[in-house]
Amino acid sequence: MKILQKKSSIFITIAVILAFILLISSIFYTDTDQASSTTTPTISSDSIPTIFVHGFKGSAHSFDGMLDRFQRQHWGKKEMVIYVTNEGDTIIKGNISKNVMHPLIQVVFHNNRASFQETAGYLKKVMRILYTQYDIQEVNIVGHSMGGIISTKYIEETYHKKDYPTTHKLITIGSPFQGVILKRFKQNPNNTGAAAIDLVPHSKALKILVQNSRKFDPNIQVLAIAGVVEDKNDGDGLVSLYSAFGGKNIVPKNQFHTKIVYGKSAYHSGLHENKNVDLLVSTFLWGNHKKIKHSN
């Protein structure tokens, strides 16, 4: 009888020890899960800044109208303008407010005829400042004409590199990935500079973009917007439909989306003034048109 009682006592002791071990283990793993969830916060898409990059011979006026319309519609708020001087220095006006929804940042290159390589270098400098000095870890980019090409080149050159924001979405507007319509381009004697050489069909700079397509972040959603005034071959008058959608040779197929705007207002230099383009841009970036309120 005593032997049975002793065995029963041993079993009870073992059971208590096992229960204690299981309790400690569950507490440990629960605490670990909670710690991991708090150290990997997600960034709300509403708080991601959108960077606007003008094209060849562009200026602050290139996107001024679109940004003003976005603000009047309460789709976003223009927070900052970053100028890059001919020497490559940056002049920053404005700041990023806390908790602002859809912050808009305009980038202006004083040397607006520089080569693809040089201009992409300017954009890299701007993005690095936004990352290191303003803690901007993710961005959307909207580029008109050559601005879309420069943005694509920037993405290729910074993929997997530290100290640069991750690109969430990219929109190219009338960007000539297969070059401009040469006859029309040469009609303007003011189309000069290193960029004018890069924009010619089959240029070395355009070929490099395609050659480096493996460096394009495959997680980026891309929208290519093209204008067609009358004929697809003439496109927006300077960039054919084929050329405006040439990003398909760089971007993974399932990440690449296209839209066309038609009519007299779909000419190249007017695309960033086109309200249909406004709607396409805002819908792709933010998905809806619920008006947002900003504190003054």
Side-chain angles (χ1 to χ4, degrees):
M1 187 71 175
K2 288 183 179 181
I3 295 173
L4 290 175
Q5 288 178 344
K6 187 175 182 179
K7 288 184 177 180
S8 177
S9 176
I10 292 172
F11 290 144
I12 292 172
T13 302
I14 293 172
V16 170
I17 291 171
L18 289 174
F20 180 76
I21 292 172
L22 289 172
L23 178 62
I24 293 299
S25 299
S26 65
I27 291 173
F28 174 79
Y29 285 115
T30 301
D31 287 344
T32 302
D33 290 343
Q34 289 176 347
S36 64
S37 65
T38 57
T39 56
T40 55
T42 56
I43 300 173
S44 168
S45 60
D46 286 335
S47 65
I48 297 174
T50 299
I51 316 298
F52 291 80
V53 184
H54 66 72
F56 176 63
K57 299 190 302 182
S59 68
H61 297 297
S62 299
F63 275 116
D64 268 350
M66 179 179 285
L67 298 185
D68 286 345
R69 292 190 299 275
F70 277 24
Q71 291 194 106
R72 288 199 302 269
Q73 293 286 347
H74 301 285
W75 292 344
K77 186 178 181 183
K78 186 176 178 179
E79 289 279 277
M80 185 182 288
V81 181
I82 303 177
Y83 299 90
V84 182
T85 68
N86 289 329
E87 294 74 30
D89 299 322
T90 54
I91 301 170
I92 301 174
K93 295 185 178 181
N95 206 336
I96 301 295
S97 307
K98 290 184 178 180
N99 302 319
V100 67
M101 292 182 69
H102 307 166
L104 312 175
I105 300 174
Q106 190 174 10
V107 177
V108 181
F109 305 117
H110 287 177
N111 185 1
N112 54 15
R113 300 167 187 263
S115 68
F116 290 179
Q117 186 64 49
E118 187 174 356
T119 311
Y122 293 155
L123 185 57
K124 286 167 69 175
K125 186 172 185 178
V126 168
M127 293 294 197
R128 193 172 189 277
I129 288 172
L130 291 175
Y131 183 88
T132 58
Q133 298 182 22
Y134 294 88
D135 195 30
I136 293 175
Q137 299 179 28
E138 195 168 6
V139 296
N140 299 313
I141 308 178
V142 178
H144 172 252
S145 192
M146 192 177 101
I149 291 175
I150 297 306
S151 301
T152 302
K153 188 170 182 65
Y154 156 77
I155 291 168
E156 290 182 342
E157 293 187 354
T158 58
Y159 185 42
H160 283 324
K161 290 187 177 180
K162 296 180 179 180
D163 296 337
Y164 296 98
T166 300
T167 302
H168 181 56
K169 292 181 180 180
L170 169 66
I171 299 177
T172 63
I173 305 173
S175 296
F177 284 93
Q178 299 295 324
V180 294
I181 298 174
L182 201 54
K183 184 178 179 180
R184 302 277 178 82
F185 190 68
K186 287 187 173 181
Q187 285 175 354
N188 187 344
N190 197 34
N191 288 339
T192 59
I197 297 172
D198 289 347
L199 288 166
V200 170
H202 311 295
S203 72
K204 181 179 179 180
L206 288 172
K207 289 178 180 178
I208 289 174
L209 273 178
V210 178
Q211 289 169 3
N212 290 336
S213 61
R214 67 188 183 282
K215 298 180 181 178
F216 190 91
D217 186 345
N219 298 306
I220 300 173
Q221 290 286 332
V222 178
L223 172 64
I225 300 175
V228 174
V229 178
E230 291 181 353
D231 180 78
K232 291 182 179 181
N233 292 325
D234 290 333
D236 60 25
L238 188 63
V239 179
S240 70
L241 186 65
Y242 169 74
S243 186
F245 290 167
K248 67 181 181 180
N249 297 319
I250 299 170
V251 181
K253 185 177 180 180
N254 61 336
Q255 301 293 89
F256 190 69
H257 313 276
T258 61
K259 291 289 183 182
I260 304 172
V261 291
Y262 295 90
K264 294 180 179 179
S265 61
Y267 63 95
H268 186 73
S269 60
L271 286 172
H272 45 58
E273 305 303 324
N274 190 305
K275 291 184 179 180
N276 290 324
V277 173
D278 288 358
L279 193 61
L280 291 172
V281 170
S282 58
T283 301
F284 185 74
L285 291 179
W286 304 303
N288 62 63
H289 292 88
K290 181 180 179 181
K291 292 185 177 182
I292 56 177
K293 294 182 179 180
H294 298 292
S295 57
N296 294 324

